Amino acid sequence: MDINIFKFCSGLKVLGYFMILLVAAIVAVSYYAVVVVTWGPQLLRGGVHSFLAFSILVLFHVLLLLLTWSYFMVVIKDPGSVPENWRPVTEEENLEAGSSMMTSDHVVPDALPSTWSSSDGLERKPIGYCSHCQNRKPPRCHHCSICQRCVLKMDHHCVWVVNCVGACNYKFFLLFLLYTFLETTMDTLILLPTFIQVFREAKNHSSSPGNLAIIFLAFVLNLAFALSLLCFIIMHASLVSSNTTSVEVYEKKKAVRWRYDVGRKNNFEQFVDDNERNKSFRYSTKFLHKLKAGKT
């Protein structure tokens, strides 16, 4: 009996739903420690203390709303999928690497070109074929064993969002990293004075043990996430600046010149525009299907 081990990887999606609950729990702990225990009561003191507490709480809630919005955008947004039986009409359209491609009639995978050279003289990657999806796939497109589909310009599958990070939601993923880093860094700084007092108050038994435990847990969690997110932000900033994805890092090391690197400014503009260009890709695909069916 043939066993496809990749099908078992789809079970990892269940882990992702627990990760969403974990994110919600961390946010709840931080919210209780910052708003309810530490800075909320400061609003009643009046004067400078009230103004400082009000400013901190406003900034806290703004960052919380931004990271929540970006998080759910990554969770619910399609990272970019490949239509069935697609094929670029011309080679130049394929150079967009999964951004602005169109469909054509089905052809045998063996008839696909191996490599070609564009007008700039660089050798381009061939149109690939996914044996799992039984469909052709553009360059920079990879099959996710957890989602069981091919993803355009796939970066990685993130268990924290129960979704792949690809061409259409990579921007929201980086925004989520940035807003979460700012929020956790802010929480760490504003909880630091209270965290220092935790040991003194625990010794004198002047505060509720539950509140002391919440403050201690919130400070440690926010500090750990802030440090780890800083590393992720630096890594992904480097990837964006060179127009590379996480799965392409090893391939880039072997290349003399990375074929998709068009300069930092153009790389960043392409990163920002990827979502809109993939919308155009889907619309043009639907249009061609209707055109061939004689509906236009």
Side-chain angles (χ1 to χ4, degrees):
M1 181 182 296
D2 294 333
I3 299 178
N4 186 357
I5 193 172
F6 291 102
K7 289 184 178 180
F8 293 99
C9 295
S10 59
L12 294 176
K13 287 190 92 173
V14 179
L15 176 63
Y17 297 108
F18 289 103
M19 302 304 285
I20 292 180
L21 295 177
L22 179 59
V23 170
I26 295 173
V27 171
V29 169
S30 300
Y31 191 91
Y32 183 84
V34 173
V35 178
V36 179
V37 178
T38 307
W39 290 98
Q42 298 293 328
L43 293 172
L44 304 177
R45 295 184 59 180
V48 178
H49 292 89
S50 295
F51 177 77
L52 179 61
F54 178 79
S55 302
I56 288 176
L57 292 177
V58 168
L59 182 58
F60 174 87
H61 283 89
V62 169
L63 289 175
L64 181 61
L65 287 175
L66 289 174
L67 77 86
T68 303
W69 164 76
S70 57
Y71 179 75
F72 281 105
M73 288 298 293
V74 181
V75 172
I76 66 176
K77 194 168 183 62
D78 186 355
S81 56
V82 182
E84 294 183 3
N85 300 327
W86 77 270
R87 180 183 177 182
V89 176
T90 63
E91 294 175 355
E92 290 299 324
E93 289 171 354
N94 194 51
L95 300 183
E96 292 295 334
S99 295
S100 302
M101 299 163 295
M102 300 183 180
T103 59
S104 178
D105 295 331
H106 178 78
V107 296
V108 179
D110 294 338
L112 297 176
S114 58
T115 56
W116 64 83
S117 297
S118 63
S119 56
D120 58 5
L122 294 177
E123 188 182 71
R124 301 295 180 177
K125 294 187 66 176
I127 301 173
Y129 183 81
C130 179
S131 58
H132 301 287
C133 299
Q134 298 295 309
N135 192 26
R136 291 182 298 282
K137 60 180 181 179
R140 315 190 79 179
C141 178
H142 297 273
H143 183 85
C144 177
S145 300
I146 300 177
C147 295
Q148 295 293 317
R149 61 170 174 168
C150 288
V151 178
L152 294 174
K153 201 178 178 182
M154 178 179 172
D155 188 86
H156 69 287
H157 182 93
C158 182
V159 295
W160 288 92
V161 300
V162 205
N163 199 2
C164 277
V165 177
C168 294
N169 64 352
Y170 188 44
K171 177 170 62 176
F172 298 108
F173 175 74
L174 289 191
L175 287 175
F176 169 65
L177 291 183
L178 177 61
Y179 293 141
T180 308
F181 169 72
L182 294 176
E183 177 79 358
T184 53
T185 302
M186 175 185 171
D187 292 351
T188 303
L189 294 176
I190 62 180
L191 287 175
L192 180 59
T194 309
F195 177 78
I196 295 175
Q197 295 177 1
V198 162
F199 301 98
R200 183 188 310 167
E201 294 179 355
K203 183 178 180 180
N204 298 331
H205 303 284
S206 57
S207 295
S208 169
N211 289 342
L212 295 178
I214 289 293
I215 293 173
F216 181 86
L217 180 61
F219 178 83
V220 173
L221 286 176
N222 280 278
L223 178 61
F225 273 93
L227 294 176
S228 60
L229 287 172
L230 178 61
C231 298
F232 275 106
I233 290 175
I234 293 174
M235 181 189 74
H236 281 284
S238 175
L239 293 176
V240 170
S241 66
S242 59
N243 201 352
T244 313
T245 62
S246 298
V247 296
E248 294 172 341
V249 171
Y250 180 72
E251 181 183 354
K252 180 187 174 185
K253 290 180 179 179
K254 298 190 299 182
V256 177
R257 177 184 175 188
W258 185 236
R259 62 178 67 88
Y260 303 115
D261 189 354
V262 290
R264 291 185 178 180
K265 180 181 178 181
N266 293 329
N267 290 339
F268 181 76
E269 291 177 351
Q270 185 181 115
F271 154 73
V272 173
D273 295 338
D274 264 346
N275 185 52
E276 294 301 323
R277 289 192 284 112
N278 276 279
K279 285 182 182 178
S280 301
F281 162 54
R282 291 195 293 271
Y283 295 152
S284 62
T285 299
K286 294 178 182 177
F287 174 77
L288 280 181
H289 278 305
K290 291 181 180 179
L291 185 64
K292 290 182 181 183
K295 296 181 180 179
T296 57

PDB file of all heavy atoms in Angstrom, residues 57 71 84 122 185:
ATOM      1  N   LEU A  57      -2.392  54.577  27.458  1.00  0.00           N
ATOM      2  CA  LEU A  57      -3.521  53.701  27.136  1.00  0.00           C
ATOM      3  C   LEU A  57      -4.035  53.935  25.726  1.00  0.00           C
ATOM      4  O   LEU A  57      -4.446  52.978  25.040  1.00  0.00           O
ATOM      5  CB  LEU A  57      -4.645  53.917  28.150  1.00  0.00           C
ATOM      6  CG  LEU A  57      -4.347  53.445  29.577  1.00  0.00           C
ATOM      7  CD1 LEU A  57      -5.500  53.780  30.507  1.00  0.00           C
ATOM      8  CD2 LEU A  57      -4.071  51.941  29.592  1.00  0.00           C
ATOM      9  N   TYR A  71      -3.318  40.849  11.862  1.00  0.00           N
ATOM     10  CA  TYR A  71      -3.298  39.415  12.164  1.00  0.00           C
ATOM     11  C   TYR A  71      -4.447  38.687  11.466  1.00  0.00           C
ATOM     12  O   TYR A  71      -4.236  37.660  10.803  1.00  0.00           O
ATOM     13  CB  TYR A  71      -3.388  39.203  13.674  1.00  0.00           C
ATOM     14  CG  TYR A  71      -3.396  37.755  14.090  1.00  0.00           C
ATOM     15  CD1 TYR A  71      -2.233  36.988  14.055  1.00  0.00           C
ATOM     16  CD2 TYR A  71      -4.571  37.143  14.517  1.00  0.00           C
ATOM     17  CE1 TYR A  71      -2.240  35.655  14.429  1.00  0.00           C
ATOM     18  CE2 TYR A  71      -4.583  35.810  14.906  1.00  0.00           C
ATOM     19  CZ  TYR A  71      -3.411  35.075  14.856  1.00  0.00           C
ATOM     20  OH  TYR A  71      -3.423  33.754  15.218  1.00  0.00           O
ATOM     21  N   GLU A  84      -6.630  26.344 -12.198  1.00  0.00           N
ATOM     22  CA  GLU A  84      -6.441  25.076 -12.887  1.00  0.00           C
ATOM     23  C   GLU A  84      -6.097  25.293 -14.351  1.00  0.00           C
ATOM     24  O   GLU A  84      -6.675  26.148 -15.022  1.00  0.00           O
ATOM     25  CB  GLU A  84      -7.718  24.224 -12.776  1.00  0.00           C
ATOM     26  CG  GLU A  84      -8.032  23.773 -11.362  1.00  0.00           C
ATOM     27  CD  GLU A  84      -9.244  22.879 -11.312  1.00  0.00           C
ATOM     28  OE1 GLU A  84      -9.801  22.575 -12.395  1.00  0.00           O
ATOM     29  OE2 GLU A  84      -9.632  22.474 -10.207  1.00  0.00           O
ATOM     30  N   LEU A 122      19.442  37.368 -18.852  1.00  0.00           N
ATOM     31  CA  LEU A 122      19.489  36.474 -17.700  1.00  0.00           C
ATOM     32  C   LEU A 122      18.669  35.228 -17.986  1.00  0.00           C
ATOM     33  O   LEU A 122      17.598  35.293 -18.593  1.00  0.00           O
ATOM     34  CB  LEU A 122      18.933  37.186 -16.458  1.00  0.00           C
ATOM     35  CG  LEU A 122      19.749  38.363 -15.943  1.00  0.00           C
ATOM     36  CD1 LEU A 122      19.023  39.000 -14.766  1.00  0.00           C
ATOM     37  CD2 LEU A 122      21.149  37.934 -15.531  1.00  0.00           C
ATOM     38  N   THR A 185       7.113  45.670  22.793  1.00  0.00           N
ATOM     39  CA  THR A 185       8.187  46.524  23.316  1.00  0.00           C
ATOM     40  C   THR A 185       7.625  47.589  24.251  1.00  0.00           C
ATOM     41  O   THR A 185       8.178  47.846  25.336  1.00  0.00           O
ATOM     42  CB  THR A 185       8.948  47.197  22.167  1.00  0.00           C
ATOM     43  OG1 THR A 185       9.493  46.196  21.300  1.00  0.00           O
ATOM     44  CG2 THR A 185      10.083  48.061  22.702  1.00  0.00           C
TER      45      THR A 185
END
